[in-house]
Amino acid sequence: MRFGDVRPGSWTRRAVCVTALAAATALSAPAVASGAPAPATPKVDQQTLSSLGAFVPAIVGSVATAGPDGKVNADIASQANALASVPGMPPAVGEIWKTVLGFLNNTAKPSQVAKVAAKNDPIIPTGPNAPRIQQFLYPTIGIGCLPDGNSVGTALVTAGPQKAPAPGPARGQAGFVYTSLGTGPALDNNRAPLIAIWINIDTGRSGQINLKRNEKINAVNGPGTFTAIANTGKGRVLSAIYGNVTTKIKGKTVGCTIVPTVGLAYI
């Protein structure tokens, strides 16, 4: 899923197929295991994952192939708008889709994006030294990340300059953090990495980066926390985190796949 391998129009064709799949089917996954204390575990809505999870990598990739006018690909925008209006779509899911569209079209305000993300029970650090974070739009699951089931996953972005995630993004950089709740400490796995793909809508710059174990964050007892710092440049950054999580639980290495989640960040 590297942007350098994408031919013009290929993302749009893939997006049409994935959209049909996301709108017509439900995600098949076991029940979420309560691997973390209840107050710290956000709710995972299966309809949100069914609607957004399968489609997110396609929409990020399609935005990277803008139309002749340099704006967001009109086909992908219309497909996202159609998904937001599917009969029976829960209001919360439709609101997320509309927020994505507003972000792409530059009609959504940062406060509106933050408000939608906050509705999904994010885990927000508090206190005088808490990092300034932008939560991803919805929590996701790692299928089989726990010995007895799935792990809830949360993701966030920090815009530099600030200290988190260590060693801290500089100005014009984005710091990505993904936490697999209830698991043991993170392990690096180059053969099955956890990946963030991103596109700066305002500049057209795009890329992907592997999230890695961070020795300064939950490295001893977990939960498995993976971070990366990307040179996105300043602007509106649309991103998706997908791929695999590898952790050590009770002395055993456990690998699993996560359902993609999407982030909207102002860098």
Side-chain angles (χ1 to χ4, degrees), residues 1-2 47 58 72 104 128 132 147 158 237 243 249:
M1 202 173 290
R2 295 181 182 276
Q47 287 177 292
V72 173
L104 296 179
R132 301 182 305 277
T158 63
V237 174
I249 302 176

Side-chain angles (χ1 to χ4, degrees), residues 4-264:
D5 298 334
V6 176
R7 295 185 299 274
S10 63
W11 266 110
T12 301
R13 290 192 294 273
R14 181 179 297 182
V16 172
C17 297
V18 178
T19 301
L21 175 64
T25 65
L27 181 69
S28 175
V32 176
S34 55
T41 305
K43 299 174 183 177
V44 176
D45 184 88
Q46 292 296 327
Q47 287 177 292
T48 299
L49 295 182
S50 297
S51 174
L52 285 153
F55 189 55
V56 164
I59 196 172
V60 175
S62 185
V63 170
T65 56
D69 56 0
K71 296 182 179 180
V72 173
N73 186 291
D75 288 341
I76 204 73
S78 64
Q79 291 166 37
N81 187 54
L83 273 181
S85 305
V86 168
M89 181 72 72
V93 180
E95 186 177 19
I96 291 175
W97 272 118
K98 290 176 182 177
T99 301
V100 172
L101 283 171
F103 185 83
L104 296 179
N105 296 326
N106 204 20
T107 58
K109 298 179 180 179
S111 59
Q112 292 173 314
V113 174
K115 183 178 179 181
V116 170
K119 286 184 178 180
N120 291 284
D121 298 324
I123 299 170
I124 303 210
T126 58
N129 297 317
R132 301 182 305 277
I133 71 172
Q134 298 177 71
Q135 192 83 16
F136 271 48
L137 286 179
Y138 55 91
T140 187
I141 60 172
I143 302 172
C145 285
L146 298 175
D148 57 351
N150 305 327
S151 169
V152 174
T154 63
L156 59 87
V157 178
T158 63
Q162 63 177 307
K163 295 181 179 179
R171 189 175 303 278
Q173 292 183 322
F176 293 98
V177 181
Y178 181 89
T179 303
S180 185
L181 299 175
T183 66
L187 297 176
D188 288 335
N189 186 343
N190 293 330
R191 292 187 176 182
L194 184 64
I195 300 168
I197 53 175
W198 56 268
I199 168 73
N200 186 321
I201 297 170
D202 295 316
T203 66
R205 182 187 296 183
S206 62
Q208 75 174 44
I209 191 169
N210 290 356
L211 280 71
K212 300 276 191 176
R213 167 189 170 93
N214 191 317
E215 293 296 336
K216 296 185 178 182
I217 305 177
N218 302 330
V220 178
N221 298 317
T225 303
F226 301 80
T227 71
I229 295 176
N231 294 314
T232 60
K234 294 182 67 64
R236 290 171 295 149
V237 174
L238 170 67
S239 59
I241 291 179
Y242 72 100
N244 301 280
V245 164
T246 305
T247 61
K248 182 163 291 250
I249 302 176
K250 296 181 179 179
K252 295 183 179 180
T253 299
V254 178
C256 61
T257 299
I258 73 164
V259 177
T261 183
V262 64
L264 310 177

